[in-house]
Amino acid sequence: MKNKYIIGFTVVALSFAGCTKLDENLNGQVSSAGVSGGNVSSLLSATYAAMIGPYQAPWNWSALQEVTSDEIIVPTRAGDWDDNGAWRSLHLHKWAPDHSRISDVFRDLNSISYVATSVLGASPTPAQAAQARFLRAFAQFSILDGWGQVPYRDPGEDVTKPSRVRSAADEIAYLISELNAIIPDLPVGPAIVANKNAARTLLMKVYLNKGAFLNRTTPTFDAADMARVITLADEISTGGYTLTPNYFDNFAPTNDILSKENIFTAQNIGGANGSDLDGQWKCTTHYNQNPNGYNGFSSLSNFYAKFEATDTRRGGSYVGQTNVSGIRVGFLVGQQFDQNGVALKDRKGNPLAFTPEVSIIERDPNHLEVAGIRVIKYPVDYANSGSRKPENDWVYFRYSDVLLMKAEAQLRTSLTAQALTLVNSIRTVRGASALTSLTLDVLLDERGRELYWESFRRQDLIRFGKYLAAWQEKPASEAKYLVFPIPDNQLGNPNLIQNPGY
């Protein structure tokens, strides 16, 4: 049963989102249609709805954060998943300014920013304005993370003229000021709307990543910034959050009820209003599983090896899923079964046994369908599989991330004992053994174990100085890949400057 506090993924909201998509003919500017009329509630709902496309699926922002990392690979399986090398180029760090996925995500993130700005020009209440400003800041943080420069405009500007662009330093200063300004006017909850602790969590990420955004090749960490991260975490901790005993309940079809740690989510109403969240399981499951999927995304064996056997985050049976289809949650490796324990086969009649071994191009016809460990992070919503509108709320921020960010800030300011205690408090709930020591490398691994497939890995690898290193099926890469290129079709805006090396 869903909380009926619905933020409005309605036809009206979607229509506003559609008419305020970025118009490439205006050099990345929103068109004037849809920003001068309509009531404020509809415009605000349109801003929430604009979040669906870039965030709620494995294909877009998530792909840019995860497929470019050591967590996910999308192998070419004979003719499947070739896509003119688009997926391979992400994993190999070989993309160019004309990469369609990079272009689409840049466009759609800016769309959120511009739709939110239209709310502010329609005489909103202070509470409505604060929510719109948070959603704008959320999208702009992603743009800063990905591209290092952020287009923006103020309400009422002439949209036929190029938007202005903030540098990384200016955008960081803006986000800090903006988030501090809106916290008093944001609601305490629920998680499905922009709220005070969501803003504090985003502000933590700004402070924690500040030194990396300003110098990606050699990130620095100011003690005062780390102190702010710790203080914000302590403020969030008064919100009554606890770590959810069953890790996968945080992502389940009833996660609005089961999760005790979700801070900011997007509400999906099963069978009625929703998103492409079902892609989270269909991108990875085999054609002969239930649900039958696209047999694409896989995790890498070196990443899987970071988990202890007792770590519940690695996965296992899940009521409502395994008893329905035989599919487990977490990492799927080895022989797969149906709900009756019958061993499944691939399309050639071979055992459907997922292998840790995977290559970026799979050619062996007897291996290509089973190559790669699969991942089910969001338990499948079978009740709404027909409509493809699952009930699972999309998770943006969780309390465990807040605790790990606090531990990182402590570790970076020589509060190692406190950081170790905090990390072990998470590991205990997850069934993992207590660590006896904590280094930055160990903490990066722990963030990977806790937050895998949640769209943070690229950001983490850059902050920890690991993003350019060689890993499975990827050689060492050039420094230019620490940011994405400004898409070719956006460079008509003279205020956007192509990132170095592209």
Side-chain angles (χ1 to χ4, degrees):
M1 179 64 66
K2 277 288 183 201
N3 183 325
K4 294 305 179 184
Y5 191 104
I6 301 175
I7 60 176
F9 293 129
T10 62
V11 173
V12 171
L14 287 170
S15 69
F16 274 107
C19 69
T20 50
K21 279 287 187 187
L22 293 185
D23 182 348
E24 292 174 4
N25 294 324
L26 291 175
N27 303 324
Q29 312 316 311
V30 65
S31 73
S32 58
V35 300
S36 59
N39 62 62
V40 177
S41 296
S42 294
L43 287 169
L44 183 58
S45 292
T47 311
Y48 281 102
M51 302 273 284
I52 295 174
Y55 289 115
Q56 284 199 60
W59 325 115
N60 299 314
W61 177 246
S62 179
L64 299 190
Q65 287 288 330
E66 298 288 357
V67 179
T68 64
S69 82
D70 61 348
E71 283 188 3
I72 294 180
I73 189 170
V74 185
T76 299
R77 305 176 190 272
D80 289 345
W81 292 97
D82 179 73
D83 296 316
N84 295 315
W87 295 108
R88 295 194 301 274
S89 69
L90 289 179
H91 189 74
L92 291 169
H93 294 186
K94 294 294 183 183
W95 54 76
D98 62 352
H99 195 288
S100 61
R101 199 154 302 275
I102 293 173
S103 175
D104 290 350
V105 175
F106 184 82
R107 177 199 64 205
D108 290 347
L109 291 174
N110 277 284
S111 182
I112 298 169
S113 178
Y114 294 137
V115 177
T117 298
S118 74
V119 176
L120 303 177
S123 302
T125 66
Q128 290 171 324
Q131 289 187 55
R133 291 166 70 182
F134 171 80
L135 297 177
R136 180 174 63 179
F138 190 98
Q140 289 190 2
F141 177 80
S142 295
I143 299 166
L144 171 64
D145 179 7
W147 289 268
Q149 50 187 300
V150 181
Y152 74 99
R153 62 172 70 255
D154 293 326
E157 283 191 32
D158 183 352
V159 298
T160 66
K161 295 181 179 180
S163 61
R164 290 167 288 166
V165 176
R166 291 193 187 97
S167 67
D170 288 343
E171 181 64 24
I172 289 166
Y174 164 78
L175 289 173
I176 291 172
S177 174
E178 182 78 343
L179 291 167
N180 279 310
I182 64 176
I183 286 173
D185 290 326
L186 287 170
V188 173
I192 59 171
V193 298
N195 60 76
K196 293 179 187 295
N197 283 331
R200 292 185 179 108
T201 304
L202 183 57
L203 191 53
M204 288 180 71
K205 290 189 176 293
V206 174
Y207 279 114
L208 192 62
N209 288 284
K210 177 181 175 182
F213 290 161
L214 293 175
N215 187 348
R216 295 183 188 235
T217 56
T218 311
T220 58
F221 301 89
D222 182 75
D225 292 337
M226 298 303 100
R228 285 294 296 142
V229 171
I230 294 168
T231 298
L232 287 162
D234 291 341
E235 292 173 1
I236 293 167
S237 293
T238 65
Y241 306 102
T242 58
L243 297 178
T244 305
N246 187 328
Y247 177 75
F248 294 96
D249 283 349
N250 292 308
F251 311 96
T254 53
N255 58 347
D256 61 322
I257 298 170
L258 296 176
S259 177
K260 307 302 180 187
E261 60 183 276
N262 286 344
I263 293 172
F264 182 47
T265 64
Q267 186 183 42
N268 291 314
I269 307 297
N273 295 292
S275 66
D276 196 21
L277 186 147
D278 68 326
Q280 289 296 117
W281 51 77
K282 293 184 79 69
C283 76
T284 192
T285 54
H286 186 269
Y287 314 108
N288 291 343
Q289 290 182 292
N290 177 19
N292 63 317
Y294 309 139
N295 202 44
F297 287 40
S298 300
S299 197
L300 291 158
S301 58
N302 287 352
F303 183 79
Y304 175 71
K306 297 179 186 295
F307 291 79
E308 296 176 331
T310 59
D311 194 327
T312 57
R313 296 171 294 194
R314 196 169 76 157
S317 298
Y318 192 83
V319 175
Q321 176 172 302
T322 311
N323 58 302
V324 174
S325 67
I327 297 179
R328 295 153 66 91
V329 290
F331 294 84
L332 310 184
V333 59
Q335 178 64 54
Q336 301 300 297
F337 301 89
D338 70 10
Q339 68 275 20
N340 299 315
V342 176
L344 298 174
K345 297 182 182 300
D346 69 12
R347 292 182 296 179
K348 290 182 175 294
N350 300 315
L352 185 61
F354 296 135
T355 68
E357 298 78 28
V358 62
S359 299
I360 199 160
I361 299 179
E362 287 287 340
R363 294 183 173 90
D364 182 349
N366 292 313
H367 186 246
L368 60 87
E369 288 191 25
V370 297
I373 299 167
R374 312 308 168 83
V375 170
I376 302 290
K377 189 69 178 274
Y378 283 77
V380 178
D381 181 10
Y382 288 97
N384 294 294
S385 60
S387 68
R388 296 194 60 191
K389 296 181 184 296
E391 182 86 354
N392 318 58
D393 286 349
W394 181 264
V395 180
Y396 291 116
F397 291 150
R398 292 193 291 121
Y399 183 54
S400 60
D401 186 15
V402 168
L403 297 179
L404 287 171
M405 287 193 288
K406 178 181 177 180
E408 183 180 338
Q410 290 173 326
L411 187 60
R412 293 189 185 279
T413 50
S414 301
L415 300 173
T416 306
Q418 295 93 320
L420 177 62
T421 298
L422 198 52
V423 171
N424 278 334
S425 71
I426 298 172
R427 288 178 61 82
T428 297
V429 175
R430 305 307 189 211
S433 63
L435 300 170
T436 58
S437 62
L438 188 65
T439 65
L440 287 172
D441 286 348
V442 172
L443 183 56
L444 176 62
D445 284 348
E446 191 61 29
R447 283 191 62 83
R449 286 184 285 264
E450 179 64 26
L451 300 167
Y452 68 91
W453 288 46
E454 291 184 53
S455 306
F456 296 118
R457 188 62 174 177
R458 170 186 167 273
Q459 183 185 104
D460 288 351
L461 289 170
I462 292 173
R463 190 172 69 253
F464 281 80
K466 303 291 187 181
Y467 189 66
L468 301 180
W471 56 66
Q472 255 179 302
E473 296 298 299
K474 183 193 88 79
S477 46
E478 300 175 49
K480 72 177 185 178
Y481 294 108
L482 290 166
V483 289
F484 296 118
I486 302 299
D488 284 338
N489 58 24
Q490 298 292 330
L491 289 173
N493 181 346
N495 298 320
L496 282 167
I497 306 300
Q498 184 57 274
N499 285 318
Y502 291 107

